[in-house]
């Protein structure tokens, strides 16, 4: 569960929602087993939105709401994973399609 920032602001009291990550992985390297919770997101959703001057006001509002919700989800996931000894990772297209070359 995570504290939903938008619903909490609207109601004036803390409102909680459930967060489901995209993947759970358990990897064994030699004798070491590591567990991961993985969230897949577009790179553009992993940094705070900015107004480039040509975005509609509604688009910017939507992007900022999504940013706030994602931050709340990720904060809760990191805390939960830390308690359990699990690695929380956000993966973007830059990670998936990485060519090994620097830009």
């Amino acid at each position: 569960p995570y504290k939903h920032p938008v619903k909490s602001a609207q109601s004036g009291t803390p409102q909680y929602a459930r967060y489901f990550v995209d993947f759970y992985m358990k990897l064994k390297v030699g004798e070491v087993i590591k567990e991961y919770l993985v969230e897949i997101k577009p790179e553009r959703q992993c940094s705070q939105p900015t107004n480039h001057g040509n975005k509609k006001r509604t688009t910017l509002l939507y992007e900022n709401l999504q940013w706030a919700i994602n931050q709340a989800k990720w904060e809760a996931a990191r805390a939960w994973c830390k308690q359990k000894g699990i690695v929380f990772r956000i993966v973007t297209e830059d990670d998936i399609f990485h060519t090994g070359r620097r830009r």
Side-chain angles (χ1 to χ4, degrees):
Y2 69 99
K3 183 179 166 191
H4 197 288
V6 178
K7 292 178 183 177
S8 295
Q10 288 172 339
S11 71
T13 60
Q15 300 291 312
Y16 291 88
R18 291 172 48 181
Y19 172 41
F20 298 91
V21 295
D22 294 318
F23 294 99
Y24 165 77
M25 297 187 328
K26 195 176 208 179
L27 301 175
K28 184 175 181 181
V29 179
E31 296 302 314
V32 178
I33 296 174
K34 280 189 125 178
E35 295 177 277
Y36 296 85
L37 288 184
V38 181
E39 178 69 19
I40 309 292
K41 283 287 182 214
E43 181 65 37
R44 64 183 165 75
Q45 290 184 11
C46 293
S47 57
Q48 191 163 10
T50 58
N51 187 4
H52 301 300
N54 59 352
K55 281 185 188 176
K56 290 182 188 178
R57 185 174 180 275
T58 53
T59 300
L60 189 58
L61 178 60
Y62 174 78
E63 288 176 354
N64 276 291
L65 289 173
Q66 286 304 122
W67 170 252
I69 293 167
N70 283 339
Q71 290 303 301
K73 287 178 179 180
W74 298 342
E75 183 180 320
R78 285 185 186 103
W80 187 86
C81 285
K82 187 175 181 179
Q83 287 178 347
K84 306 284 185 191
I86 298 173
V87 177
F88 177 68
R89 178 83 196 273
I90 301 167
V91 176
T92 69
E93 68 274 13
D94 291 347
D95 298 309
I96 295 170
F97 301 113
H98 180 64
T99 62
R101 289 182 269 159
R102 293 192 172 230
R103 294 180 198 158

